[in-house]
Amino acid sequence: MNIPTNIATLIVGVLVTLISFWVGQHHGLLPVAASVNAPLIDGLFDTMITLSVGLFLLVQGALIFALFKFRKPKDDETDGPPWKENLPLEILWTGIPAIIVLGLSVYSFEVYNSIGGLEELAMQAHHHSMKGAAIAAPLNSTSQSSPTEPRLATIGFTAPANVKGTGVTVDVTGLQYAWIFNYPDSGITSGELHLPVGQDVQLKIKAMDVLHAFWVPQFRLKQDAIPGRETELWFKPTVIGTYPIVCAELCGSFHGAMRSQVIIEPQSDYDAWVQQQLADSAPSDHPTIASAGQSQSAETRLAPRLAEMGISELTLAQVHPHHDG
Amino acid sequence: MITAQLDGILPVNPSPELTERKWWDYFTFNTDHKVIGIQYLVTSFLFYLVGGALATAVRKELSTPEVDFVSRELYNSLFTMHATVMIFLWIVPAANGAFGNFLLPLMIGARDMAFPRLNAIAFWLIPPGGILLMSSFLVGAPASGWTSYPPLSLMNGKWGELIWILSLLILGTSSILGAVNFITTLLLMRRPGIGLNNMPLFCWAMLSSSALVLISTPVLAGALILLCFDLIGGTSFFNPTGGGDPIVYQHMFWFYSHPAVYIMILPVFGLVSEILPVHARKPIFGYQAIAYSSLAISFLGLIVWAHHMFTSGVPGWLRMFFMVATMVIAVPTGIKVFSWVATVWGGKLRLNSGMLFAMGFVSMFVIGGLSGVMLASAPFDIHVHDTYFVVAHLHYVLFGGSVFGLYAAIYHWFPKMTGRMINETWGKVHFVLTLVGFNLCFLPMHKVGLAGMPRRVAEYDPQFAAINLICSIGAYLLAVSTIPFVINAVYSWVRGPKAGANPWNAISPEWQTLSPPPIENYLGEPPFVPDPYDYGKDYNPGKRPMSQVKAADLWR
Ligand SMILES: [Cu+2]
């Protein structure tokens, strides 16, 4: 089959292209992009939507056109044309998808690398097994380990070497059915995640009981929390606001209720929040008692649900850091 | 001459005992592949109705953001059982067992499968496996999703989980026995003259699918047995509290369960490749490309499993490998889609129910294929993994794909299986209801998934309420759409007009015998069909070689 020169074909081609690009830019399917990674992933998605809409229109258009144009005429019991193959056409529809997926692979690899997904390749990964041990050990011990101590190769997303160690580090613990956030630098424990805008954030994620997954749709980031194994997420929030933290891995009957929120605020508000948290917990020397006074502590926030979910005080006390010594 | 070797296998005018089945044969341990095929089809369709009822209950719960229809525990059991029933008791046995059994010997000119008794055993494992699975509702059905990831699956009800494992082992055994039979039959029992390169494409599809069953199902069995030890024996293969690794289970599970997608879709690819040429009155376009792309998909399907684990305990470099391998599958899949469109293009389409469902299959499967390429891209998958975007994608592949294709096949081969025509008007009503209900139910799910709704939740953010209500209405419509089909199929089976041997005027070998076929498949020797897609012999408008046809000709 020669390349179509027919005007109608040309118009169809131009229209499909225009519609594809327009939809790719105006689909409005994704929520606010609130982290430095999110626009990269959105760009990738827009590209894939553009390509998909084009292919969708071509195939569906051909099928619907055929439905009307090639319907059997009444009383015509003869066959259609005996076309069995066409090598140039088949090379074309093998080659073009091959080039598209190759391009998408390279593009996706680039995006994946720039959101910190391949940092572990750059690091000297020491394979130190912490399976099982993490469950028995105090949960905040691994993140406070000295730099010389060998650690498990990263799973998830890590800060590039040049920003490593700056910004905020938070230990995240998933348990049926809540997220607990522990700030090792200040010793704060909270049921909500407060973060200063524009700072690099490194989350170290653990699970107490079953698999969970930490997901903030507005950051386009998700990582499973795995019992016995630490995983990581790195990002830089860019837009001030309050976003949902959603558990995305089935974790039991209250899985759908396992939600929290991340509050991205200006540095001054964040500092004030840290001071408030420290002031609230300072007078006490017992963590469980101290927590009762914290306005946003995990225990307070969860209290109405605890009995219903069967989580004991003791379980929560376990994840509470013993920073008082 | 090839035909000379086959003289005298059957008398030309055998007595009726050799040609007719009694109704009670279908309720016995019968070794006839056609009886077994219909046993598989009817049994799996009954389980499809069960799975559909479970799905309707799930959608009823999700029609509002609150938990108000069933308890949270029961909700988790409902979607776990829905998926398990639909996969292991409907699509796998219907696509492989039902049509593989009924069609393969007829297509290759054999009198039965290679191992008829093994074949009957494979079928008779299905009803006990299915009933066992259903019985779990009496002791607390499994509630850990059909993926049954530990440690959660070790912590929910022990008996429900144990029953789930045992019934899957039974159903997996059935699947393996079937695959052994299909491969042996296809390789060793073809009529002289039928080579690998002129057997119908459904045979290629079954060869590819059965290879996957043989390679991957034992790995699932291994994972389930180890999970069972953890569950009742207190071992710690996957239990992290004893030093086990839950991620190893995920690898083993998906080593089977990704190929399982191809076990559910490859045979349907084959069925559609049979149906389109007959009703388009054109040869299948690109026979060899379609045949070899089945093998390519089968091979690639074995090395992409960890794309289900992009957010799990898998290091970045491994995520990148599985991303690229998954992307590559789009190429052989695209070849098939374009070949089907080219088969339809320029034909003389007889738009009966079977053809409409087959074209609907291509149309819906393309949507699932495109979202599949998006999901292959790891950075994007990180966002949508375990969301309603994935739920939408998998239903476009397994319902828009497999179920549409199975309906097409039921309408197309109904006359051959029953000897009677199925009512076309009600078939078209069924098609329209299914198409509208399906898209109403699953298209909007893409949107809520992208916007932040996770899957497997009984309660959700109220901002998604309106779209979920639309999805639920679509699901109810889908449930209603099966009513005209069931009534039409049952009525036509008993009262439909006689079909005659070859009502579609098809060329492939299964139509060159009586409807329903006699017990020994063919009176006399099986026919020799050198090219099962040789349509277009009487094409009028001046026969021209393909190379001289311009695309512009098609627009006139
Ligand atoms: Cu959870």
Side-chain angles (χ1 to χ4, degrees), chain A residues 141-184:
Chain A
S141 67
T142 41
S143 59
Q144 288 175 343
S145 57
S146 69
T148 52
E149 206 173 289
R151 54 190 299 282
L152 192 69
T154 312
I155 285 172
F157 300 85
T158 327
N162 57 330
V163 295
K164 211 166 188 69
T166 67
V168 186
T169 299
V170 185
D171 290 331
V172 180
T173 305
L175 74 164
Q176 288 172 323
Y177 298 92
W179 293 106
I180 311 289
F181 303 99
N182 173 36
Y183 295 68

Side-chain angles (χ1 to χ4, degrees), chain A residues 44-45 52 60 69-70 72 76 78-81 83-84 108 112 215 222-224 229 248-249 252 255, chain B residues 76 245 281 286 311 319-320 346 348-349 363 374 377 380 382-383 385-386 456 531 536 538 546 554 556:
Chain A
L44 175 63
F45 179 64
S52 297
Q60 307 290 1
K69 174 79 177 174
F70 303 124
K72 174 182 87 78
D76 182 356
T78 61
D79 286 355
W83 303 335
K84 292 190 174 175
S108 301
Y112 201 77
W215 180 33
K222 188 183 290 124
Q223 175 58 50
D224 287 7
R229 195 183 282 209
E249 181 66 61
H255 168 53
Chain B
N76 287 5
D245 191 346
R281 310 309 299 167
T311 70
R319 295 180 188 189
M320 292 298 99
K348 294 188 176 171
L349 310 186
S363 169
M374 294 185 190
S377 169
F380 173 66
I382 296 292
H383 175 49
H385 176 73
D386 266 331
R456 293 172 166 175
D531 176 359
D538 61 353
M546 185 68 182
L554 304 175
R556 282 201 290 266

Side-chain angles (χ1 to χ4, degrees), chain A residues 42-94:
Chain A
D42 292 5
L44 175 63
F45 179 64
D46 292 348
T47 307
M48 294 195 293
I49 279 281
T50 306
L51 291 164
S52 297
V53 169
L55 283 164
F56 173 85
L57 289 176
L58 280 180
V59 175
Q60 307 290 1
L63 285 172
I64 292 170
F65 181 82
L67 205 61
F68 292 100
K69 174 79 177 174
F70 303 124
R71 184 188 290 244
K72 174 182 87 78
K74 256 198 161 49
D75 305 325
D76 182 356
E77 293 303 325
T78 61
D79 286 355
W83 303 335
K84 292 190 174 175
E85 57 198 353
N86 181 303
L87 197 58
L89 197 60
E90 290 176 75
I91 290 173
L92 196 71
W93 72 43
T94 309

Side-chain angles (χ1 to χ4, degrees), chain A residues 212 247 249 251 255 258:
Chain A
H212 303 274
C247 176
E249 181 66 61
C251 59
H255 168 53
M258 184 170 163

